[in-house]
């Protein structure tokens, strides 16, 4: 019964992705990123949320994996790019502060479309400064001999985009890919903070990752920060940016800007 339900849900996702995008059942939420030194908001990560009329809240773990499996993920990711650019344009026209946004891309995106050109076209359409967009690529996407992927990332970099390495340490290839690819920011995976309190090994590993990143001319951002203890440790050891529930869950843009307006978040731009 469980397998049948999962299969049915997968079929529903694939059959309804176009409709969900068209009717905006899929929404873009933003998770705050803060400057570790100041505790102030310095960036956002754009994340997709699917509020479905039939299933209710669909888990990203369900629909992202399914869309990747059926080579439909580019529809979702390019919708997010479009929505983020449109939102930035609207805020710019209203004279609101513009906060840099990082965008996630799947390995399938690099196979399915001319990613660098399509993202560039979207930014030009809305008149968005490239400094406001960061391109996130997960560590698991990368391999040593993928020349096509390397070329697309080189094109992003030559076009003036910052490249971020997401989920560093989650896979097995991390150290290998660091010598093959150039990134501006290393996002350290939240798994390193699992059971952080009292775990001296985790502390040594995190400290050395931050030091190594600096030596490779990369900034660092640690994900999944939920306690003040972890935050203070990362700040003291030179991690520049922090993301996690301690500073905020993913939320709609309107809610985020209301929190900025009321002073819950102060900006460090």
């Amino acid at each position: 019964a469980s397998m049948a339900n999962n299969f049915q849900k997968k079929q529903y996702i694939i059959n309804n992705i176009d409709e969900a995008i068209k009717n905006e059942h899929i929404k873009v939420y933003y998770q705050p990123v803060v400057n570790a030194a100041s505790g102030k908001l310095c960036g956002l990560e754009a994340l997709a949320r699917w509020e479905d009329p039939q299933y209710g809240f669909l888990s990203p773990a369900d629909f992202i994996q399914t869309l990747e499996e059926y080579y439909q993920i580019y529809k979702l990711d390019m919708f997010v790019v479009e929505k983020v650019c449109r939102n930035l344009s609207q805020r710019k026209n209203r004279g609101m502060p513009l906060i840099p946004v990082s965008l996630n891309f799947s390995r399938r995106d690099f196979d399915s479309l001319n990613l660098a050109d399509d993202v560039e076209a979207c930014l030009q359409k809305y008149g968005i400064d490239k400094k406001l967009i960061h391109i996130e690529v997960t560590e698991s996407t990368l391999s040593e001999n993928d020349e096509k992927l390397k070329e697309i990332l080189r094109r992003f970099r030559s076009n003036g985009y910052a490249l971020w390495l997401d989920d560093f340490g989650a896979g097995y290839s991390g150290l290998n890919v660091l010598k093959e690819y150039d990134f501006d920011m290393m996002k350290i995976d939240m798994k390193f903070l699992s059971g952080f309190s009292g775990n001296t090994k985790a502390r040594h590993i995190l400290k050395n990752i931050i030091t190594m990143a600096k030596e490779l001319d990369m900034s660092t951002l640690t994900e999944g920060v939920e306690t003040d203890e972890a935050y203070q440790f990362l700040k003291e050891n030179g991690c520049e940016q922090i993301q996690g529930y301690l500073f905020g869950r993913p939320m709609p843009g309107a809610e985020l800007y209301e929190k900025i307006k009321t002073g819950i978040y102060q900006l460090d731009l």
Side-chain angles (χ1 to χ4, degrees):
S2 174
M3 287 173 68
N5 285 337
N6 286 338
F7 180 75
Q8 190 176 20
K9 187 186 279 188
K10 280 186 176 185
Q11 291 305 305
Y12 181 85
I13 288 165
I14 295 307
N15 293 336
N16 287 274
I17 180 64
D18 293 323
E19 196 71 15
I21 287 172
K22 180 183 171 186
N23 294 322
E24 298 203 5
H25 296 146
I26 295 176
K27 303 179 189 310
V28 175
Y29 277 41
Y30 296 94
Q31 185 168 22
V33 175
V34 303
N35 181 313
S38 66
K40 294 180 179 179
L41 187 71
C42 64
L44 303 168
E45 181 177 8
L47 299 161
R49 295 291 181 264
W50 188 335
E51 297 169 17
D52 189 73
Q54 180 173 323
Y55 275 93
F57 182 78
L58 275 167
S59 165
D62 283 338
F63 66 82
I64 289 173
Q65 189 174 351
T66 300
L67 292 171
E68 284 187 326
E69 188 181 335
Y70 286 83
Y71 288 82
Q72 300 290 302
I73 190 69
Y74 68 92
K75 293 179 179 177
L76 174 70
D77 289 344
M78 288 311 300
F79 168 76
V80 171
V81 174
E82 176 94 17
K83 197 74 176 167
V84 165
C85 287
R86 194 189 312 162
N87 289 348
L88 282 168
S89 176
Q90 289 167 348
R91 287 168 193 145
K92 180 180 169 186
N93 293 337
R94 292 177 195 155
M96 297 168 77
L98 299 180
I99 305 164
V101 181
S102 58
L103 300 169
N104 295 282
F105 292 98
S106 162
R107 178 69 188 87
R108 301 290 193 210
D109 292 328
F110 293 91
D111 295 331
S112 303
L113 47 85
N114 197 343
L115 193 61
D117 291 345
D118 287 352
V119 172
E120 179 75 12
C122 194
L123 265 73
Q124 288 189 8
K125 175 182 171 184
Y126 290 99
I128 303 303
D129 189 334
K130 292 166 192 176
K131 290 176 185 170
L132 292 169
I133 298 293
H134 306 138
I135 306 298
E136 283 198 28
V137 185
T138 59
E139 179 201 306
S140 59
T141 295
L142 308 173
S143 63
E144 289 181 78
N145 304 312
D146 193 331
E147 291 306 321
K148 182 182 177 185
L149 176 59
K150 286 180 182 177
E151 177 53 38
I152 295 172
L153 292 177
R154 275 194 292 266
R155 199 176 315 157
F156 269 124
R157 184 175 279 282
S158 66
N159 283 346
Y161 295 90
L163 297 180
W164 288 23
L165 176 60
D166 193 17
D167 294 340
F168 178 79
Y172 60 86
S173 62
L175 293 173
N176 248 355
V177 301
L178 288 180
K179 68 180 178 20
E180 299 290 334
Y181 293 87
D182 293 319
F183 287 96
D184 302 286
M185 175 73 77
M186 176 192 289
K187 292 187 75 173
I188 301 168
D189 190 75
M190 64 179 68
K191 286 175 184 162
F192 287 111
L193 294 178
S194 177
F196 177 80
S197 185
N199 189 329
T200 54
K201 284 185 182 178
R203 292 167 189 259
H204 288 312
I205 291 167
L206 280 165
K207 189 174 179 179
N208 281 284
I209 289 172
I210 293 164
T211 301
M212 177 182 66
K214 284 187 194 309
E215 290 175 350
L216 295 173
D217 293 324
M218 297 167 71
S219 299
T220 49
L221 184 163
T222 303
E223 302 176 281
V225 178
E226 297 184 4
T227 66
D228 192 60
E229 180 190 8
Y231 167 46
Q232 294 303 328
F233 172 84
L234 291 163
K235 181 165 81 167
E236 287 164 14
N237 284 280
C239 182
E240 289 100 335
Q241 296 184 19
I242 303 289
Q243 184 177 358
Y245 289 173
L246 183 64
F247 295 98
R249 294 172 180 264
M251 65 191 85
E255 181 183 333
L256 176 89
Y257 273 85
E258 185 59 32
K259 288 184 175 180
I260 293 169
K261 192 176 170 184
T262 56
I264 293 172
Y265 289 121
Q266 296 182 330
L267 299 182
D268 186 355
L269 303 174

